Amino acid sequence: MGGIRGLLRLCALAFVLFVGLASISLPGALGWSKEGHMMTCRIAQNLLGPEAANAVENLLPQNLNGDLSALCVWPDQIRHWYRYRWTSPLHFIDTPDNACTFDYSRDCVKDACVDGAIQNFTSQLLHYRDGTADRRYNLTEALLFLSHFMGDIHQPMHVGFTSDKGGNTVDLRWFRHKSNLHHVWDREIILTALKDFHDNDMVLLQEAIERNFSDGIWFDDVTSWKECDDLLSCPDKYATESINIACKWGYKGVKEGLTLADDYFDSRMPIVMKRIAQGGVRLAMYLNRIFGGPEEGFCITNIRKKNPTNLHKTWKTLTVIFLCYCN
Ligand SMILES: *[C@@H]1O[C@H](CO)[C@@H](O)[C@H](O)[C@H]1NC(C)=O
Ligand SMILES: *[C@@H]1O[C@H](CO)[C@@H](O)[C@H](O)[C@H]1NC(C)=O
Ligand SMILES: *[C@@H]1O[C@H](CO)[C@@H](O)[C@H](O)[C@H]1NC(C)=O
Ligand SMILES: [Zn+2]
């Protein structure tokens, strides 16, 4: 255990904050799946301790320079390929209509749901540290799947009702254009928030979310978000939260053919942002514990913000470094 490691044991935290001003030139609009997943993964990556950061960098293809978010949507891109057809049911959970509960044995038959998938890939990755990984498993893929599915399980409508496919068949209007209830939660709310409040800049939105848990409205909640006695059973809790939100906020008052606009947006937007924050914080907690051992992942302020390698962005960075101690 070297000096740096010892410092970490004392919970000395390097809190490095890059305030990045991005000038952005993205071609066309990005889908939520891309934006929601990228923000989740960037939030997580900024919270990784040195061991997890190293493992992630080792597992990712070289040309990404350790930028996890670049591949966080990969599982959505390959789900229809023949070779990966088995992954298709792993993005969601169907629960009985109007039950508003999640029951693993009832809703995740043969582990084929997003909760089972998180457990599966967590178990595979837990062998990384001791070098006993099963050669049948590709740990690069396991990392990408875990990172993606941690996002999906936090999207409330990914734990929705069976007959409407998590709101996918509930056609309606979002302001003036056609959409459906699932898509409103996947993408529309985020795109509207980006447009109305963040200059259509995903980095600005991600930073606003990070500010709200590093010293804003969610600061006091982060510790409870990260509470987890057993990495393999905590996804049950996340799925239960999602179906509860789906019932209370997703489906509530919504009928086929309705137009959803300001009222729905204003009341649901904060929930979407909180779920993205929780997904990111919890993904970091998983990776810190998987790669760094069980006692890692409990310090609140460990923001190590890397300069993301993104061809489309020019970053100007201002770096503020300070050390703080917790406990
Ligand atoms: C777990 O992952 C392996 C591939 O890494 C896959 O073959 C298996 O079907 C998965 N099982 C579940 C329940 O997701
Ligand atoms: C693991 O999966 C990645 C992504 O599919 C692939 O590029 C890589 O070649 C695989 N590694 C091995 C050893 O099969
Ligand atoms: C951050 O918190 C403020 C309230 O303090 C809220 O108005 C704002 O919408 C939040 N932003 C995000 C992205 O969650
Ligand atoms: Zn997905």
Side-chain angles (χ1 to χ4, degrees), residues 25-30 312:
S25 59
L26 288 173
L30 295 170
H312 299 293

Side-chain angles (χ1 to χ4, degrees), residues 8-298:
L8 277 167
R9 285 277 173 281
L10 284 169
C11 230
L13 301 168
F15 182 75
V16 182
L17 182 65
F18 281 94
V19 178
L21 297 174
S23 64
I24 199 165
S25 59
L26 288 173
L30 295 170
W32 135 258
S33 74
K34 186 155 191 165
E35 286 163 328
H37 284 294
M38 286 182 81
M39 286 192 286
T40 301
C41 284
R42 284 184 183 160
I43 289 166
Q45 192 155 22
N46 291 338
L47 296 166
L48 294 183
E51 287 163 315
N54 260 333
V56 167
E57 192 157 354
N58 286 338
L59 285 171
L60 287 176
Q62 294 273 312
N63 60 339
L64 294 180
N65 292 322
D67 180 13
L68 179 62
S69 71
L71 282 181
C72 275
V73 319
W74 175 82
D76 275 339
Q77 294 162 341
I78 52 97
R79 62 190 287 186
H80 298 301
W81 297 9
Y82 183 77
R83 216 187 126 204
Y84 291 103
R85 268 196 324 191
W86 59 276
T87 66
S88 215
L90 303 183
H91 293 256
F92 57 86
I93 295 168
D94 281 337
T95 65
D97 294 4
N98 300 306
C100 297
T101 55
F102 167 61
D103 175 342
Y104 193 91
S105 56
R106 180 191 66 192
D107 307 329
C108 197
V109 176
K110 295 191 180 153
D111 305 314
C113 77
V114 65
D115 183 339
I118 290 173
Q119 296 182 45
N120 188 18
F121 296 112
T122 297
S123 310
Q124 292 182 21
L125 290 167
L126 280 168
H127 293 286
Y128 176 88
R129 246 158 71 89
D130 57 18
T132 60
D134 188 322
R135 287 194 191 174
R136 280 176 304 167
Y137 301 140
N138 179 327
L139 294 191
T140 299
E141 293 190 350
L143 172 67
L144 303 182
F145 283 128
L146 172 62
S147 303
H148 180 91
F149 294 140
M150 191 60 80
D152 279 346
I153 202 171
H154 282 84
Q155 205 281 60
M157 298 304 292
H158 273 238
V159 189
F161 298 161
T162 306
S163 69
D164 63 28
K165 301 188 160 76
N168 268 300
T169 66
V170 181
D171 291 328
L172 39 71
R173 277 176 181 275
W174 180 249
F175 293 87
R176 288 168 175 197
H177 65 260
K178 288 183 181 168
S179 192
N180 69 59
L181 182 58
H182 185 89
H183 199 56
V184 163
W185 284 79
D186 255 359
R187 180 174 187 231
E188 308 284 16
I189 291 173
I190 295 176
L191 289 190
T192 302
L194 276 168
K195 180 160 70 71
D196 288 2
F197 303 123
H198 303 282
D199 224 2
N200 273 325
D201 187 335
M202 189 165 53
V203 174
L204 295 182
L205 174 53
Q206 173 207 328
E207 287 171 351
I209 294 172
E210 289 174 326
R211 272 196 304 277
N212 276 358
F213 68 73
S214 51
D215 66 3
I217 42 171
W218 303 315
F219 178 77
D220 290 332
D221 302 331
V222 173
T223 314
S224 72
W225 294 356
K226 291 200 288 192
E227 259 164 33
C228 176
D229 289 335
D230 171 12
L231 294 181
L232 300 185
S233 51
C234 291
D236 290 0
K237 186 169 72 179
Y238 311 156
T240 299
E241 291 168 355
S242 273
I243 182 63
N244 287 337
I245 296 170
C247 285
K248 194 169 166 196
W249 298 99
Y251 288 107
K252 184 97 179 271
V254 173
K255 275 208 272 316
E256 175 113 22
L258 231 63
T259 294
L260 303 182
D262 286 323
D263 286 347
Y264 197 88
F265 173 73
D266 292 343
S267 49
R268 274 62 171 185
M269 191 270 285
I271 299 166
V272 168
M273 297 310 156
K274 184 172 170 184
R275 293 305 274 168
I276 291 172
Q278 288 178 319
V281 165
R282 286 165 170 170
L283 175 58
M285 179 268 287
Y286 267 64
L287 298 176
N288 283 333
R289 285 171 61 176
I290 287 170
F291 297 120
E295 69 280 24
E296 302 272 350
F298 285 98

